[in-house]
Amino acid sequence: VLSADQRSDLLRADAAAVAEQVAMAMPDALGTALQELSSKRDADAGVLAARRFLTARKEELRQACIARLRQEQDEALGRLLRRDKPGKSVTRISADSLSLVDDDAGSQAEVASKAARRIRGALQGGSSDIQLVLQYLSSREHIRADDDPFAPEACVKSLLDVARELGLEQDGWEALLGAMEKPMAEALAKGQVALAERFRSSRLEAG
């Protein structure tokens, strides 16, 4: 039986392995995305914005995205391993706090969520066993996508957050993520294979 600290250490090492797979795949993934955007005829404003952005900031995006992914994974693990019981904390909402909501941030979250769901669908066949092991290691029966350090949500959110910070216009968000969906799914699929192998070597196979 694994202790709580051992489970936490395993999850953090596994998250790092996924981030490493994404880091290795990112140069080719961004190149593939740029080729796809450049090949589109009659490109709309979103495609043009994403293409200009990738042409100018591809290397900066690659470096910052991996750093942000590791941060997102760490935050997801913090939520996943938190031992607080549901319902203990109360979020106080006031008119002042509601007035500070960023419309762009809400739109960004929606765009990222849609792209992550599509990638998750492409990965569905290889994720069920990983989810079972994740539930065991976290001692949680249900895991939200945002709390899953191995999920597409962490990658997509990291990519779009950094792209926005580096100057990608809102018109280009969907075009960038659309061009990145296939290569990102392929990178995460390799991450799942690496995770499955790590689980087998740790004798943590589902079933």
Side-chain angles (χ1 to χ4, degrees):
V1 178
L2 296 175
S3 68
D5 285 344
Q6 287 173 320
R7 294 183 185 205
S8 175
D9 289 346
L10 274 173
L11 281 170
R12 292 187 187 283
D14 294 334
V18 172
E20 183 62 25
Q21 287 290 334
V22 175
M24 289 189 295
M26 189 60 75
D28 287 343
L30 290 171
T32 298
L34 183 54
Q35 286 179 353
E36 179 179 333
L37 291 167
S38 299
S39 68
K40 290 182 179 294
R41 298 181 179 179
D42 302 322
D44 60 21
V47 170
L48 292 174
R51 188 166 70 201
R52 284 194 303 269
F53 171 76
L54 270 188
T55 299
R57 313 298 293 269
K58 185 171 64 173
E59 183 59 22
E60 292 170 88
L61 179 63
R62 181 189 68 79
Q63 294 178 0
C65 182
I66 298 305
R68 185 64 57 84
L69 172 58
R70 293 188 173 110
Q71 179 183 330
E72 286 290 334
Q73 288 179 321
D74 191 59
E75 291 175 2
L77 283 166
R79 293 189 298 269
L80 186 67
L81 298 172
R82 190 176 296 142
R83 300 303 171 190
D84 298 343
K85 293 182 180 179
K88 283 285 185 180
S89 61
V90 176
T91 301
R92 301 184 182 279
I93 300 175
S94 66
D96 289 339
S97 66
L98 287 174
S99 68
L100 297 175
V101 173
D102 185 343
D103 289 339
D104 279 357
S107 175
Q108 179 180 346
E110 183 178 353
V111 170
S113 178
K114 288 179 180 178
R117 284 198 300 270
R118 288 192 292 269
I119 295 173
R120 184 182 285 274
L123 295 171
Q124 202 62 47
S127 62
S128 57
D129 286 352
I130 290 173
Q131 282 296 302
L132 289 173
V133 175
L134 182 58
Q135 289 167 4
Y136 165 71
L137 289 175
S138 63
S139 301
R140 290 184 183 270
E141 186 175 351
H142 301 291
I143 298 173
R144 297 188 318 129
D146 287 345
D147 296 342
D148 183 346
F150 311 140
E153 280 75 6
C155 290
V156 172
K157 185 177 186 301
S158 300
L159 178 67
L160 190 52
D161 279 353
V162 170
R164 184 186 184 192
E165 290 168 10
L166 289 175
L168 177 62
E169 303 163 16
Q170 185 170 352
D171 284 350
W173 293 353
E174 289 191 27
L176 175 66
L177 293 186
M180 284 293 293
E181 277 181 25
K182 183 177 179 181
M184 193 174 289
E186 291 172 351
L188 287 172
K190 292 178 180 177
Q192 287 187 345
V193 172
L195 274 182
E197 182 57 35
R198 289 177 63 87
F199 290 155
R200 279 192 293 270
S201 65
S202 301
R203 299 182 180 178
L204 290 172
E205 294 183 87

